[in-house]
Short mmCIF file of all heavy atoms in Angstrom, two decimals:
data_model
loop_
_atom_site.label_atom_id
_atom_site.label_comp_id
_atom_site.label_asym_id
_atom_site.label_seq_id
_atom_site.Cartn_x
_atom_site.Cartn_y
_atom_site.Cartn_z
N GLU A 51 -35.80 12.28 -5.31
CA GLU A 51 -35.07 13.53 -5.50
C GLU A 51 -36.02 14.69 -5.73
O GLU A 51 -35.84 15.78 -5.19
CB GLU A 51 -34.10 13.41 -6.67
CG GLU A 51 -32.89 12.55 -6.39
CD GLU A 51 -32.02 12.34 -7.62
OE1 GLU A 51 -32.29 12.95 -8.67
OE2 GLU A 51 -31.09 11.53 -7.52
N GLU A 52 -37.05 14.48 -6.54
CA GLU A 52 -38.03 15.53 -6.79
C GLU A 52 -38.79 15.89 -5.52
O GLU A 52 -39.07 17.06 -5.27
CB GLU A 52 -39.00 15.10 -7.89
CG GLU A 52 -38.38 15.07 -9.26
CD GLU A 52 -39.37 14.71 -10.35
OE1 GLU A 52 -40.59 14.91 -10.14
OE2 GLU A 52 -38.93 14.24 -11.40
N ILE A 53 -39.13 14.90 -4.72
CA ILE A 53 -39.83 15.16 -3.46
C ILE A 53 -38.94 15.99 -2.54
O ILE A 53 -39.40 16.97 -1.94
CB ILE A 53 -40.23 13.83 -2.79
CG1 ILE A 53 -41.34 13.16 -3.58
CG2 ILE A 53 -40.68 14.07 -1.34
CD1 ILE A 53 -41.64 11.74 -3.13
N ASN A 54 -37.67 15.62 -2.42
CA ASN A 54 -36.76 16.36 -1.55
C ASN A 54 -36.53 17.79 -2.06
O ASN A 54 -36.45 18.72 -1.28
CB ASN A 54 -35.43 15.63 -1.41
CG ASN A 54 -35.58 14.37 -0.58
OD1 ASN A 54 -36.46 14.26 0.26
ND2 ASN A 54 -34.72 13.40 -0.82
N LYS A 55 -36.44 17.95 -3.39
CA LYS A 55 -36.25 19.27 -3.97
C LYS A 55 -37.47 20.15 -3.70
O LYS A 55 -37.34 21.31 -3.31
CB LYS A 55 -36.01 19.15 -5.47
CG LYS A 55 -35.72 20.47 -6.15
CD LYS A 55 -35.34 20.30 -7.61
CE LYS A 55 -36.46 19.64 -8.36
NZ LYS A 55 -36.28 19.61 -9.81
N ASP A 56 -38.66 19.58 -3.85
CA ASP A 56 -39.88 20.33 -3.58
C ASP A 56 -39.99 20.68 -2.10
O ASP A 56 -40.49 21.74 -1.74
CB ASP A 56 -41.11 19.54 -4.01
CG ASP A 56 -41.27 19.46 -5.51
OD1 ASP A 56 -40.62 20.27 -6.22
OD2 ASP A 56 -42.03 18.60 -5.99
N LYS A 57 -39.54 19.78 -1.25
CA LYS A 57 -39.60 20.01 0.19
C LYS A 57 -38.71 21.18 0.59
O LYS A 57 -39.06 21.97 1.46
CB LYS A 57 -39.14 18.74 0.92
CG LYS A 57 -39.75 18.57 2.28
CD LYS A 57 -39.21 17.34 2.99
CE LYS A 57 -39.67 16.06 2.37
NZ LYS A 57 -39.24 14.88 3.14
N GLU A 58 -37.55 21.32 -0.05
CA GLU A 58 -36.62 22.40 0.26
C GLU A 58 -37.10 23.75 -0.29
O GLU A 58 -36.87 24.78 0.32
CB GLU A 58 -35.24 22.09 -0.30
CG GLU A 58 -34.56 20.91 0.36
CD GLU A 58 -33.30 20.47 -0.37
OE1 GLU A 58 -32.95 21.10 -1.39
OE2 GLU A 58 -32.70 19.49 0.07
N ASN A 59 -37.75 23.75 -1.43
CA ASN A 59 -38.12 25.00 -2.11
C ASN A 59 -39.60 25.32 -2.01
O ASN A 59 -40.10 26.17 -2.75
CB ASN A 59 -37.75 24.90 -3.60
CG ASN A 59 -36.27 24.74 -3.79
OD1 ASN A 59 -35.48 25.20 -2.98
ND2 ASN A 59 -35.89 24.05 -4.84
N ARG A 60 -40.30 24.70 -1.10
CA ARG A 60 -41.74 24.90 -1.06
C ARG A 60 -42.13 26.27 -0.52
O ARG A 60 -41.45 26.86 0.30
CB ARG A 60 -42.42 23.82 -0.25
CG ARG A 60 -42.11 23.88 1.22
CD ARG A 60 -42.83 22.82 1.95
NE ARG A 60 -42.22 22.70 3.27
CZ ARG A 60 -42.50 21.77 4.11
NH1 ARG A 60 -43.38 20.86 3.78
NH2 ARG A 60 -41.91 21.72 5.28
N SER A 61 -43.22 26.72 -1.01
CA SER A 61 -43.81 27.95 -0.52
C SER A 61 -44.70 27.59 0.65
O SER A 61 -45.51 26.66 0.57
CB SER A 61 -44.63 28.61 -1.62
OG SER A 61 -45.32 29.71 -1.10
N LEU A 62 -44.59 28.30 1.72
CA LEU A 62 -45.36 27.98 2.91
C LEU A 62 -46.63 28.81 3.00
O LEU A 62 -47.05 29.21 4.08
CB LEU A 62 -44.50 28.16 4.16
CG LEU A 62 -43.27 27.26 4.23
CD1 LEU A 62 -42.46 27.57 5.46
CD2 LEU A 62 -43.69 25.80 4.24
#
Side-chain angles (χ1 to χ4, degrees):
E51 287 174 6
E52 288 183 23
I53 290 170
N54 289 334
K55 184 174 60 171
D56 288 343
K57 208 183 290 185
E58 293 170 1
N59 298 331
R60 68 179 165 188
S61 173
L62 298 177

